[in-house]
């Protein structure tokens, strides 16, 4: 037989894009925004080739991570040591949470949350040449998950929705930001690597999009999130990045089951934290998800010519767990883990479910959106549809749904008009 396929080949066969652990967590969302902002032909180019002009922001990243900048280089840009300390603390506050880090991060693994155009940047590393060190933009952690999401958006056959998403990105990332933070970031960014000429993004071209309920779900969610022009851009960016990771997790679980012809009843979440039976079910749901992803990955690798080795298999399964944890679908990154919904994930799911100025009944949100479209099992109706009430007391899921309502209320996104009327919404309602 031929040599074992690499994990990216297997995930492209299974899901259409590259989903490996180095690119997990918020990295797909970061990569998506990189492509949206740096594309030469606008946020969602329609051509076959996507050209980008990459910016590394390596000066700022090396500055806050002791990345080998000499005193002379730092003082050529920053006035004095006190200014350097202040700027360093500012940019550390903008750092992206990084999964799977057990020791001090290098500057190459330090990334900034892309709250504005001036903070958007690519992967980079130092190469040592005959003439000295040289920074180059390369893919290290932006491995293709965001490129797949980007392809899903730009190949949307719904012209009106595609235009709405493109307009939303233009409003989120205007060409000329002029806040104090943007002015500081622009100075530091200019000291680092910038492509002298545009380059083609070859990873994006390898993404394979097959129209499905999942592509429609992602596009609808992004369109809704970007519609919230009345909310701060920071809130929209965080929701977009969380939604991208959550969506990929849902896609992986469902499509893996479909690939091996296994029944799929959805992901069980424990929102209440009060019933041991539900907690065990949420733990078992995670184990079953990882198991079916492993089974599907092995089947896909055999189809490609040879059985996937253990290391490559671990990269695929690791992406799922790491991304679910980072984006708020797991209780923790390590230890005894189970599916749940943290507040950031709830905020993202609410914004993805309904556009600005509108609201929907809580029962519809929990039943039609979370279960009907996302296949997340929380309440009684979802448990009944998933055939779980034969083995579970229905009141457990009723209490689970009440706990979810309280969590949504804690985010300020649940309006209670009466005992019988609860509405989910983000921002002002018309």
């Amino acid at each position: 037989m031929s040599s074992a396929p690499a994990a990216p080949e297997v995930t492209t066969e299974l899901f259409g894009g590259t989903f490996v652990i180095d690119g997990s967590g918020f990295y797909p969302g970061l990569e998506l925004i990189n492509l949206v902002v740096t594309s030469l032909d606008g946020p969602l180019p329609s051509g076959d080739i996507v050209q980008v002009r990459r910016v590394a922001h390596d000066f700022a990243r090396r500055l806050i991570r002791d990345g080998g900048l000499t005193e002379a280089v730092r003082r050529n840009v920053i006035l004095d040591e006190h200014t350097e300390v202040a700027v360093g603390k500012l940019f550390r506050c903008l750092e992206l949470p990084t999964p799977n880090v057990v020791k001090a991060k290098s500057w190459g693994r330090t990334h900034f949350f892309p709250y504005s155009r001036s903070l958007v940047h690519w992967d980079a590393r130092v190469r040592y040449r005959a003439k000295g060190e040289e920074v180059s933009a390369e893919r290290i952690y932006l491995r293709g998950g965001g490129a797949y999401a980007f392809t899903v958006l730009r190949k949307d056959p719904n012209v009106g929705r595609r235009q709405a998403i493109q307009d939303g990105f233009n409003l989120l990332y205007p060409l000329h930001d002029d806040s104090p933070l943007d002015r500081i970031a622009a100075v530091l960014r200019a000291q680092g690597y910038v492509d002298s000429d545009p380059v083609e993004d070859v990873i994006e071209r390898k993404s394979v999009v097959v129209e499905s309920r999942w592509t429609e779900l992602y596009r609808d969610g992004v369109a809704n999130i970007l519609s919230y022009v009345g909310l701060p851009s920071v809130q929209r960016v965080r929701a977009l990045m969380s939604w991208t990771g959550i969506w990929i997790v849902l896609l992986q679980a469902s499509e893996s089951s479909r690939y091996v012809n296994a029944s799929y009843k959805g992901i069980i979440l424990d929102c209440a934290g009060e019933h041991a039976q539900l907690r065990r079910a949420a733990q078992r749901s995670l184990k079953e998800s990882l198991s079916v992803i492993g089974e599907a990955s092995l089947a896909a690798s055999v189809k490609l010519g040879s059985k996937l080795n253990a290391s490559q298999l671990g990269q695929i399964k690791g992406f799922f767990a790491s991304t679910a944890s980072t984006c708020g679908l797991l209780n923790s990154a390590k230890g005894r883990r189970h599916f749940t919904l943290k507040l950031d994930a709830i905020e993202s799911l609410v914004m993805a479910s309904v556009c600005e100025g509108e609201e929907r009944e809580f029962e519809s949100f929990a039943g039609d959106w979370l279960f009907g479209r996302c296949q997340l099992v929380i309440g009684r109706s979802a448990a009944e549809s998933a055939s779980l009430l034969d083995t579970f007391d229905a009141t457990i899921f009723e209490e689970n749904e009440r706990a979810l309502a309280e969590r949504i209320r804690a985010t300020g996104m649940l309006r209670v008009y009466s005992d019988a009327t609860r509405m989910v919404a983000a921002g002002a309602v018309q």
Side-chain angles (χ1 to χ4, degrees):
M1 297 181 71
S2 60
S3 61
E9 296 176 73
V10 173
T11 61
T12 300
E13 163 67 20
L14 271 177
F15 315 115
T18 301
F19 305 130
V20 293
I21 192 167
D22 282 346
S24 62
F26 283 131
Y27 286 136
L30 182 64
E31 183 181 17
L32 165 69
I33 291 174
N34 259 289
L35 290 166
V36 164
V37 171
T38 63
S39 168
L40 295 190
D41 297 318
L44 299 179
S46 57
D48 293 333
I49 295 176
V50 174
Q51 286 195 310
V52 295
R53 191 183 295 275
R54 299 166 300 177
V55 175
H57 236 315
D58 50 285
F59 182 90
R61 293 159 68 190
R62 297 175 77 178
L63 182 72
I64 67 174
R65 277 291 169 267
D66 190 23
L69 296 175
T70 66
E71 176 76 11
V73 168
R74 298 200 306 275
R75 291 297 160 264
N76 189 48
V77 180
I78 300 177
L79 178 63
D80 53 35
E81 186 176 341
H82 296 294
T83 306
E84 181 180 330
V85 170
V87 171
K89 287 184 177 179
L90 170 64
F91 277 82
R92 286 189 189 95
C93 292
L94 301 171
E95 276 191 66
L96 189 77
T98 307
N100 309 312
V101 173
V102 295
K103 57 182 180 180
K105 287 193 295 187
S106 66
W107 74 264
R109 191 153 198 187
T110 299
H111 297 81
F112 302 127
F113 235 111
Y115 293 130
S116 69
R117 180 178 288 268
S118 65
L119 292 171
V120 172
H121 62 279
W122 210 257
D123 271 336
R125 62 159 45 112
V126 172
R127 295 289 190 183
Y128 295 94
R129 315 291 187 188
K131 59 183 180 181
E133 73 171 35
E134 181 180 295
V135 173
S136 62
E138 302 177 23
R139 263 189 162 84
I140 307 168
Y141 303 106
L142 309 185
R143 299 295 299 276
Y148 176 73
F150 179 69
T151 310
V152 169
L153 295 180
R154 77 184 194 91
K155 292 189 175 180
D156 187 356
N158 184 325
V159 176
R161 181 175 56 195
R162 183 180 180 277
Q163 186 61 52
I165 292 173
Q166 182 155 279
D167 293 343
F169 277 126
N170 283 327
L171 290 171
L172 184 60
Y173 290 105
L175 288 175
H176 303 291
D177 290 333
D178 197 35
S179 70
L181 172 61
D182 290 311
R183 291 198 292 273
I184 294 172
V187 170
L188 300 186
R189 185 177 61 178
Q191 306 304 314
Y193 176 89
V194 180
D195 280 330
S196 55
D197 297 300
V199 297
E200 177 190 356
D201 191 81
V202 295
I203 298 297
E204 193 273 343
R205 181 156 48 87
K206 295 178 180 178
S207 298
V208 180
V209 174
V210 177
E211 293 298 319
S212 69
R213 58 173 291 177
W214 296 109
T215 55
E216 286 294 288
L217 175 68
Y218 183 61
R219 293 160 180 158
D220 284 345
V222 171
N224 284 336
I225 289 170
L226 293 177
S227 75
Y228 285 92
V229 295
L231 293 180
S233 60
V234 168
Q235 196 170 351
R236 280 176 281 161
V237 170
R238 295 190 74 92
L240 179 64
M241 294 183 69
S242 291
W243 170 238
T244 299
I246 290 169
W247 169 71
I248 292 175
V249 166
L250 303 179
L251 169 76
Q252 282 187 291
S254 175
E255 289 302 287
S256 293
S257 297
R258 183 192 60 80
Y259 196 85
V260 294
N261 296 315
S263 63
Y264 182 66
K265 297 180 179 179
I267 289 174
I268 302 173
L269 299 102
D270 177 12
C271 297
E274 297 178 357
H275 297 281
Q277 187 182 16
L278 182 57
R279 174 64 54 83
R280 288 193 296 270
Q283 291 171 342
R284 187 166 57 250
S285 187
L286 172 60
K287 291 178 181 178
E288 289 172 352
S289 296
L290 291 170
S291 177
V292 77
I293 288 171
E295 182 183 352
S297 298
L298 290 173
S301 68
V302 171
K303 180 180 177 181
L304 292 173
S306 183
K307 190 175 181 179
L308 201 66
N309 63 45
S311 174
Q312 299 283 354
L313 182 61
Q315 288 189 34
I316 299 171
K317 295 169 69 174
F319 176 97
F320 178 87
S322 176
T323 303
S325 172
T326 303
C327 296
L329 287 182
L330 288 182
N331 64 311
S332 66
K334 297 179 180 179
R336 291 183 65 83
R337 299 175 297 177
H338 63 272
F339 283 120
T340 187
L341 276 183
K342 294 184 178 179
L343 294 183
D344 285 348
I346 289 172
E347 183 177 30
S348 300
L349 287 164
V350 169
M351 292 176 67
S353 72
V354 60
C355 65
E356 185 176 50
E358 297 183 0
E359 57 186 354
R360 73 190 299 165
E361 292 183 355
F362 171 76
E363 289 72 17
S364 172
F365 173 74
D368 299 334
W369 172 259
L370 291 182
F371 179 69
R373 297 205 64 185
C374 300
Q375 294 191 280
L376 296 173
V377 180
I378 297 173
R380 176 173 181 161
S381 63
E384 183 176 9
S385 298
S387 303
L388 295 174
L389 298 189
D390 293 338
T391 53
F392 288 87
D393 186 335
T395 59
I396 291 177
F397 289 97
E398 291 171 358
E399 292 175 15
N400 202 37
E401 189 169 274
R402 281 196 293 271
L404 172 65
E406 288 303 312
R407 290 193 180 190
I408 299 176
R409 195 171 187 177
T411 68
M413 293 184 172
L414 183 72
R415 296 175 172 86
V416 180
Y417 295 106
S418 69
D419 290 342
T421 307
R422 298 174 297 174
M423 306 298 289
V424 171
V429 176
Q430 295 177 350

